Amino acid sequence: MKIIPGGQTLGARIEGIDLANPVSREDFRAILRALGQYGVLCFPNQTCQTPQFAAFAKLFGELEVNVANLYYEPDFPEIMILSNMMGPDGKPLGLNDAGQGWHTDMSYSKDIALANILHAQRVPVRNGKSVGETQFRNMHAAYDELPADIKRKIEGRTAIHDFEKFWEIMRQRPGSRRGPLTDAQRAKKPPVSQPLVRIHPITGRKVLYADPGYTMYVEDMDPLESGLLLDFLFRHQERADFLYAHHWAVNDVLMWDNIGTVHNAVADYMPDEPRYMRRAQVMATLDYPALVA
Ligand code: OGA
Ligand code: MN
C-alpha cells in the first residue's frame, strides 16, 4: 500500500490496496493516520461489491443506519444510495440531493461521526470531464489561522446544532422532493450542543467545529454577538487556501474525515447525467488515540 499526498491543503491517494480483500492491521492503522493527516483519501479503481465495502467501512467504527432512509443497497440498510437515477419502475434509486451546501455530517447528533465513505458507481461526465465534484475545507488549518482573540473567544464555548437547519436549506432548493419535517421526525433529532473547538481524535490537534449546515447559535452569548461570531467563522472557512475539490472517477472509494473537514456536494449535473454512489456513515465509536499511538 502506498500513500501519495496530493500536495494541496487536503487529499491523498492510496494505491496498491484492493478493498475487496481483508485489510491488515498495519494498513488499517496507516489509513487511520492518513485520514487525520490528509483529511480526504481516495482509493482509485476499487471494484468491490457492497458486502466488502461495508466490511471495510466497519473497520473504522459503527455504521449509522438512517431510520428515515428509503434508499439503501439490498440487505444492507447501513449502505445508503445517493443517486439522481430512476429505476425501471420510475421510482428514484437514491437520495438525489445529499449534501448540497456546506456541512458536517452528524454534527446535529450527540454522537458524532468519524468519517464518510463513498464508492462511485456512476459519475456524470461532460465534454470528457467529470462534473458533480465534492468540495472540502480544512478545519485543522481553519482553526490554526484564526486570530488570537477569536481563538480565546471560542475556547471552551459550545454551539447548538440542529438537523432541521440543513433540511430546510435543502428543501428550499428548486425541485426538492423533501417535505417539512414532521413533529415525530423533529422529536427524533432534537438540537444538540457541541464544542466549537474539538481535539481531533487522530491528530490530537484542535479543529474548528462549526458548519453552516447545522450550527445555529453559540450558547450563553447575546444572540447578536453569536450571529456575528458564527458569520465570521463561516466566512473565515471560505479562505481559498483551505479548499480542496475531489473530481470523481468511476470506482473511486473516497473516505473523508468528518471531524477535521466540512464538505459540499456541487450539483452541476443534469437529471440525464447519471450519478450513483454507495455511502457508509462511520460513527466515532472506537478509541482512535489508542489505535494511532
Ligand atoms: C454525503 C455528502 C457529497 C456528495 O454523503 O454526506 O455530503 O458529493 N455527499 O455526494
Ligand atoms: Mn454530507
Side-chain angles (χ1 to χ4, degrees):
M1 188 177 86
K2 229 168 86 190
I3 300 173
I4 307 152
Q8 299 185 51
T9 182
L10 295 165
R13 281 168 80 82
I14 303 194
E15 294 179 357
I17 182 170
D18 182 350
L19 303 183
N21 302 324
V23 175
S24 72
R25 207 63 196 157
E26 188 195 345
D27 283 352
F28 164 75
R29 286 157 64 115
I31 294 168
L32 198 56
R33 285 195 198 95
L35 182 69
Q37 188 171 359
Y38 302 111
V40 183
L41 306 177
C42 179
F43 303 79
N45 307 313
Q46 299 295 330
T47 53
C48 63
Q49 297 304 308
T50 300
Q52 290 82 29
F53 176 66
F56 173 69
K58 263 176 217 164
L59 295 175
F60 297 90
E62 276 170 34
L63 302 189
E64 205 238 355
V65 179
N66 188 325
V67 279
N69 174 28
L70 294 170
Y71 310 110
Y72 53 85
E73 293 289 351
D75 301 326
F76 287 87
E78 71 274 35
I79 304 301
M80 196 170 163
I81 301 169
L82 311 181
S83 186
N84 62 344
M85 297 166 71
M86 299 288 177
D89 56 1
K91 291 203 182 109
L93 289 183
L95 185 65
N96 72 339
D97 64 352
Q100 297 174 1
W102 287 99
H103 67 287
T104 300
D105 291 300
M106 308 299 300
S107 79
Y108 56 81
S109 161
K110 188 168 64 59
D111 303 313
I112 63 166
L114 175 79
N116 289 70
I117 313 181
L118 263 54
H119 191 183
Q121 306 298 304
R122 298 288 296 270
V123 172
V125 174
R126 196 182 303 149
N127 303 326
K129 283 180 90 177
S130 78
V131 286
E133 68 184 32
T134 309
Q135 303 176 328
F136 299 88
R137 288 176 174 152
N138 184 338
M139 293 300 111
H140 279 99
Y143 177 81
D144 290 346
E145 295 287 311
L146 282 171
D149 61 321
I150 301 288
K151 281 185 181 162
R152 274 195 301 276
K153 197 171 200 160
I154 64 176
E155 189 64 38
R157 287 264 182 193
T158 53
I160 293 295
H161 292 232
D162 191 348
F163 178 74
E164 190 167 24
K165 181 182 182 188
F166 196 45
W167 183 275
E168 279 301 314
I169 293 170
M170 288 190 283
R171 206 169 81 75
Q172 305 305 334
R173 295 170 68 97
S176 173
R177 299 199 287 249
R178 296 175 191 243
L181 287 186
T182 62
D183 289 344
Q185 284 172 318
R186 212 175 283 121
K188 264 192 215 147
K189 311 220 179 248
V192 299
S193 173
Q194 301 283 11
L196 275 172
V197 181
R198 296 193 101 95
I199 303 295
H200 194 285
I202 298 173
T203 61
R205 290 168 50 204
K206 287 180 179 175
V207 295
L208 175 60
Y209 197 77
D211 62 290
Y214 296 113
T215 312
M216 298 288 288
Y217 60 88
V218 182
E219 290 185 278
D220 304 317
M221 189 178 273
D222 168 75
L224 181 62
E225 194 186 353
S226 154
L228 289 170
L229 177 57
L230 286 184
D231 203 47
F232 176 86
L233 295 175
F234 296 156
R235 280 167 179 273
H236 172 74
Q237 294 177 1
E238 290 174 10
R239 250 174 64 168
D241 56 333
F242 302 153
L243 178 71
Y244 173 74
H246 179 68
H247 304 276
W248 290 91
V250 170
N251 293 335
D252 279 351
V253 166
L254 196 75
M255 177 173 193
W256 68 81
D257 170 3
N258 201 55
I259 300 174
T261 72
V262 298
H263 63 280
N264 172 42
V266 178
D268 59 352
Y269 48 95
M270 304 301 283
D272 62 348
E273 296 175 305
R275 190 178 195 261
Y276 189 112
M277 304 279 174
R278 296 187 189 130
R279 175 185 192 267
Q281 175 80 72
V282 183
M283 301 304 289
T285 50
L286 302 181
D287 183 356
Y288 304 102
L291 286 167
V292 295

